[in-house]
Amino acid sequence: MMTSTNQQIQHYLTKNEDKARLLVSCPDKPGIVSSISTFLYEHGANIVESNQFTTDHEEGTFFLRIVFASENMKSKEETMKADFHALADQFEMTWRMTFLHELKRTAIFVSKELHCLRELLYEWESGDLVTDIPLVISNHESAREIVESFGIPFYYIPANKEIREEVEEKQLELLKEYNIDLIILARYMQILTPKFVDSHPSKIINIHHSFLPAFIGANPHKRAYKRGVKLIGATSHYVTDDLDEGPIIEQDVIRVDHRNSVNDLKKKGRLIERSVLNKAVKWALEDRVIVHKNKTIVL
């Protein structure tokens, strides 16, 4: 069973079928932008958006995101990818070229808390989250009703640390079957094994509260309340083998004060988690995020 694109997303795909994106990172040196511009010109493409950044203009790393357009892009994409290799080798580039007529495929993992899942599904339904969501995986049944109401297949796979490897084998099979590009942990309360993480490098996005590292472990809101914190927030990051220490994509905060109870902190925390995760996912889907060491460049 496959989810079909809604009308708004289909309109986006049709409108942008002759556009593509190029992401580049490489040692900074003269001639990079000029060479890429010449390459695109020679292939009949016009630059419609460009963002760049360098860590140091003499010995740093250069990052670039370009959106370009060309008539009959579908017929040119294989040639453009093949021809770009020579330029990439010349400048020692790490690069990715994506075409906007190809819809990225996203899997959502969730446990009992559904606020982040709801936000993503509503954004997808409205056409503001431009992706296909072929499945949702959960270790609880709580999300089944809402997921299936959107016409999305729901897979209930009970999980705990005793059977973690067996569970992940099933999950990896599903991700391969559905040809998934991006995995979102929308409050999925299970630790992933190194094998799972390594199979999808910089493709798994997580969300958690921003008390870390001050209130690590259980009941962070209760302990933060006792401490009298004035700011709470959320952090969205790529998952690595170092628990909750992967490259940060987006963060935000909201003010609290002595009038707020523990439940108030939780409600405000859920509100900011929804917003932060949604932004991080959109930026990843729009090819705006480049991982550099243990940080991200968001262009």
Side-chain angles (χ1 to χ4, degrees):
M1 181 177 178
M2 304 283 286
T3 56
S4 59
T5 56
N6 59 42
Q7 188 174 358
Q8 292 88 340
I9 293 178
Q10 189 58 56
H11 174 73
Y12 171 90
L13 295 174
T14 302
K15 181 181 178 182
N16 293 280
E17 64 181 1
D18 285 332
K19 289 183 181 179
R21 303 186 188 110
L22 174 65
L23 261 67
V24 167
S25 61
C26 62
D28 199 357
K29 63 178 69 173
I32 299 170
V33 175
S34 174
S35 297
I36 292 175
S37 298
T38 299
F39 171 87
L40 293 175
Y41 172 76
E42 290 174 346
H43 287 77
N46 183 42
I47 296 173
V48 296
E49 183 181 341
S50 179
N51 290 281
Q52 64 190 61
F53 171 75
T54 183
T55 57
D56 183 273
H57 71 281
E58 293 182 346
E59 298 181 350
T61 302
F62 177 79
F63 304 91
L64 175 69
R65 177 185 183 268
I66 284 179
V67 181
F68 59 93
S70 179
E71 292 184 3
N72 302 314
M73 183 69 81
K74 290 181 182 181
S75 65
K76 298 179 179 180
E77 60 182 78
E78 294 304 322
T79 300
M80 293 188 75
K81 284 182 178 179
D83 291 351
F84 195 78
H85 280 283
L87 183 60
D89 291 343
Q90 177 185 347
F91 288 97
E92 302 174 80
M93 294 177 181
T94 299
W95 62 282
R96 181 168 77 248
M97 190 181 294
T98 60
F99 298 85
L100 272 62
H101 67 85
E102 297 174 344
L103 196 61
K104 289 185 174 66
R105 297 169 63 76
T106 299
I108 302 176
F109 284 49
V110 66
S111 291
K112 289 183 177 180
E113 296 188 54
L114 306 184
H115 54 286
C116 288
L117 171 70
R118 291 179 187 274
E119 182 78 7
L120 294 169
L121 293 179
Y122 293 151
E123 287 287 297
W124 173 78
E125 184 183 44
S126 69
D128 292 325
L129 197 66
V130 183
T131 187
D132 188 16
I133 306 176
L135 77 164
V136 172
I137 295 174
S138 180
N139 58 326
H140 294 277
E141 286 279 9
S142 309
R144 180 182 293 278
E145 183 176 357
I146 184 173
V147 171
E148 292 183 345
S149 73
F150 283 85
I152 299 172
F154 177 83
Y155 289 87
Y156 167 55
I157 306 177
N160 57 59
K161 61 183 179 181
E162 284 76 24
I163 58 171
R164 184 166 294 150
E165 292 187 5
E166 176 186 341
V167 167
E168 287 189 350
E169 284 296 329
K170 296 178 182 178
Q171 294 170 342
L172 288 170
E173 287 176 7
L174 285 170
L175 296 176
K176 183 178 180 180
E177 176 185 343
Y178 283 97
N179 194 26
I180 295 300
D181 299 300
L182 184 69
I183 301 165
I184 308 170
L185 307 184
R187 299 295 292 169
Y188 181 66
M189 307 307 290
Q190 293 288 316
I191 297 174
L192 302 178
T193 67
K195 178 183 177 182
F196 190 100
V197 175
D198 290 344
S199 67
H200 295 85
S202 300
K203 297 295 183 183
I204 309 172
I205 296 179
N206 190 29
I207 184 72
H208 62 63
H209 64 77
S210 281
F211 294 133
L212 297 175
F215 301 103
I216 196 167
N219 300 314
H221 296 89
K222 184 175 182 180
R223 288 182 289 128
Y225 170 78
K226 290 182 177 179
R227 185 65 180 83
V229 300
K230 302 304 183 221
L231 288 173
I232 63 172
T235 295
S236 187
H237 65 94
Y238 285 118
V239 175
T240 64
D241 289 341
D242 297 321
L243 185 63
D244 293 336
E245 294 187 14
I248 293 170
I249 306 171
E250 171 65 346
Q251 292 178 297
D252 203 357
V253 296
I254 189 169
R255 292 199 64 83
V256 296
D257 61 27
H258 59 277
R259 299 175 183 85
N260 295 125
S261 66
V262 174
N263 282 335
D264 290 334
L265 298 190
K266 290 181 179 179
K267 288 180 180 178
K268 291 191 174 186
R270 287 194 289 267
L271 180 66
I272 206 75
E273 286 172 8
R274 289 163 46 189
S275 171
V276 167
L277 180 60
N278 183 49
K279 287 180 182 178
V281 171
K282 283 183 178 179
W283 289 339
L285 292 171
E286 293 171 1
D287 299 305
R288 295 187 179 276
V289 187
I290 301 176
V291 176
H292 177 58
K293 299 179 180 178
N294 198 45
K295 64 188 297 183
T296 62
I297 309 299
V298 183
L299 297 172

